[in-house]
Amino acid sequence: MYTGKALKPEVKEVLKGKTLKKGADYTVSYKNNKAIGTATVTVAGKGDYKGTAKATFKINPKAVTGLKLTAGKGKLTASWKKPAGLFSP
């Protein structure tokens, strides 16, 4: 969920049943992890562990609040408060 701050989901690396240690066995970096949309997390092996792995995660906008429906002649008008973090083109 969008918070306006950089999101860093926890990463747990397990290789052949052994849980690796962040910082000692691998590093984690994030890209595009502040705005609404798709972010990327990259895990890179260190020391005896080689290679990298990438995964993506979604940052969703906050829920709509202040939803109001107004009835008119033959129509229904909906209005709501724009969630934080959304922008108009």
Side-chain angles (χ1 to χ4, degrees):
M1 183 77 61
Y2 173 79
T3 64
K5 298 178 183 177
L7 300 178
K8 296 181 177 182
E10 197 61 36
V11 173
K12 180 179 178 182
E13 288 295 314
V14 179
L15 180 65
K16 297 181 182 177
K18 178 184 176 188
T19 300
L20 304 182
K21 294 180 184 175
K22 183 178 172 183
D25 299 325
Y26 65 94
T27 60
V28 179
S29 61
Y30 298 88
K31 185 176 179 184
N32 300 326
N33 62 326
K34 189 173 180 181
I36 294 167
T38 302
T40 304
V41 58
T42 303
V43 178
K46 288 178 69 174
D48 294 335
Y49 303 99
K50 307 291 181 211
T52 60
K54 288 186 180 187
T56 59
F57 60 95
K58 294 269 187 197
I59 300 174
N60 296 316
K62 290 183 179 180
V64 171
T65 59
L67 181 61
K68 183 195 262 185
L69 298 175
T70 308
K73 289 186 177 183
K75 67 178 182 176
L76 185 63
T77 303
S79 60
W80 58 90
K81 202 173 171 185
K82 182 172 83 172
L86 291 181
F87 55 89
S88 300

